[in-house]
Amino acid sequence: MKLLQDRTAVITGGAQGIGFAIAEAFVAHGARVVLGDLDAAALDAAAARLGGEAVARTAVCDVRDADQVRRMLRGAVDAFGSLDVMVNNAGITRDATLRNMTEEQFDQVIDVHLKGCWNGTRLAGAIMREQGSGSIVNLSSLSGKAGMVGQTNYSAAKAGIVGLSKAAAKELARHGVRVNCIQPGLIRTPMTEAMPAKAWDQKMAEIPLGRAGEPAEVAGAAVFLAGDLSSYMTGTALEVTGGRLM
Ligand code: NAD
């Protein structure tokens, strides 16, 4: 059964990692996707892997910049005729303890995650409310539920995304637009592969299912939230964590 047949989805940070896995799953479920990311070459390679122009377009887009996000969303509607799903996934880490974190590291993470997600939610929400339908999926994190050492910036941003999503869900519900979050735990991607081995092992020890998750396992939750199987869900945060910190 294809759950997203002929829907149009925009996925930020879609060139690699979880964003790319979400794009793959969406295309497998019949959607057409627009990938937004910073690097044109990485985007082109990702779109080619998805099957090329008929199903995947790209937009060089920094989610911190509202004009760039607006252009990407208009491009998606022009290319494919609607905007049905928006996935705010782009992210970075700048880990450091509270004692060592610079103001710049704090601001960078808040800007990409929280302002980026706000830009994506409000600008996609504006198109979807006119359409009378849509699903917005925002990538929070277990860090936003539990708080992680060395991540005061990231944990604040990811908890903020939950609040932002719930507020937006209340504003957009009467226009037929749902807003939900995913809170992944430890998922194997370029972001987490950069982590020191000791930190990786500590996290692994907390996971009841005994392994890290794969990007495709987060993508499964995104397909569910994007499509009609979740039609009565809005303002929720789904944990995809192998049971970690339940
Ligand atoms: P990743 O580093 O593999 O991919 C992130 C992508 O976002 C990259 O392609 C990058 O170029 C892009 N990006 C960064 N800044 C951007 C900007 N300003 N504008 C547009 N694109 C930008 O990371 P990932 O592990 O795939 O993470 C994806 C999302 O999932 C992030 O929001 C992350 O915080 C969240 N997450 C990841 C994990 C995990 O264990 N990997 C856990 C919880 C939450």
Side-chain angles (χ1 to χ4, degrees), residues 12-19 36-39 61-64 88-92 112-113 139-142 154 158 183-192:
T12 69
Q16 66 174 39
I18 291 171
D37 213 304
L38 296 173
D39 177 346
C61 171
D62 184 334
V63 295
R64 294 171 297 182
N88 291 300
N89 163 83
I92 59 169
V112 174
H113 288 278
L139 269 289
S140 173
S141 167
L142 195 52
Y154 186 82
K158 291 306 203 184
Q183 296 190 304
L186 181 62
I187 310 297
R188 199 182 296 280
T189 69
M191 182 182 275
T192 49

Side-chain angles (χ1 to χ4, degrees), residues 55-98:
V55 291
R57 305 285 173 96
T58 63
V60 175
C61 171
D62 184 334
V63 295
R64 294 171 297 182
D65 183 325
D67 286 338
Q68 293 184 32
V69 176
R70 201 176 279 114
R71 263 201 302 280
M72 171 179 64
L73 297 174
R74 276 208 205 107
V77 175
D78 289 347
F80 295 128
S82 62
L83 176 65
D84 306 299
V85 182
M86 176 69 185
V87 182
N88 291 300
N89 163 83
I92 59 169
T93 49
R94 296 288 183 272
D95 293 358
T97 60
L98 198 50

